[in-house]
Amino acid sequence: MPGQAVSGPSARDPGLQPERTSLAWQRTVVSVALASVVLALGQLRAGVPVVAVAAAALAALAVAPGVLRPRRGRGLVEQRGDAGTAPRTAAAATAPREVWPLLVRTTGTVAALGLLGAVATLAHVVRA
C-alpha cells in the first residue's frame, strides 16, 4: 500500500502480545487461587479438614510467588537499552524474560487443584 513502510523480519514489533500472554497467565493463577479457596471452604463445611488445609495451602502457593517477586517490567518482554539510545536491531531492542518458571508453577497448581478436586469428590462419595 502506498504510504506504508516495508518492514522486514528484523523490524518485528511484538506489540502487546507479550503483555496479553502475561496477563492471561496471571488470570489463570488468580482463578486457581480462588477455586482453591472455594474448595477449602466447601471441604470445611463437609467436614474434611485435611483437604481443606491442602486447598488453602495451594491457594497460598499459587499467589505467593506472584506477590513476592520483584517487578522488573511488564509482560514477558523487557525493553533493553536507554531511553535516549536507539537499538541497532529489533532483537537487541527486546529480550524475552524467563517464562518457564511461571509456566511450570501455573501448570503445577492447576494440576494440583484438579487432583484436590478429585480427592474431595472421592471423599464425598465414600462418606455418602
Side-chain angles (χ1 to χ4, degrees), residues 64-95:
V67 172
L68 298 177
R69 73 174 178 190
R71 302 303 267 171
R72 292 183 293 180
R74 298 184 58 113
L76 298 174
V77 174
E78 282 185 344
Q79 298 296 326
R80 291 245 174 128
D82 298 327
T85 62
R88 288 183 235 174
T89 65
T94 59

Side-chain angles (χ1 to χ4, degrees), residues 15-95:
L16 294 176
Q17 180 61 42
E19 182 73 15
R20 287 192 305 266
T21 303
S22 177
L23 290 173
W25 282 105
Q26 289 173 4
R27 285 190 303 267
T28 303
V29 168
V30 169
S31 298
V32 166
L34 289 176
S36 297
V37 168
V38 169
L39 180 63
L41 293 175
Q43 292 307 299
L44 279 177
R45 291 189 71 194
V48 187
V50 174
V51 176
V53 169
L58 179 63
L61 182 68
V63 173
V67 172
L68 298 177
R69 73 174 178 190
R71 302 303 267 171
R72 292 183 293 180
R74 298 184 58 113
L76 298 174
V77 174
E78 282 185 344
Q79 298 296 326
R80 291 245 174 128
D82 298 327
T85 62
R88 288 183 235 174
T89 65
T94 59

Side-chain angles (χ1 to χ4, degrees), residues 9-10 20 38 48 50 56 62 66 74 84 87 97 100 106 111 115 126-127:
S10 64
R20 287 192 305 266
V38 169
V48 187
V50 174
R74 298 184 58 113
R97 286 177 44 187
W100 284 110
T106 304
L115 181 64
V126 168
R127 289 185 68 162

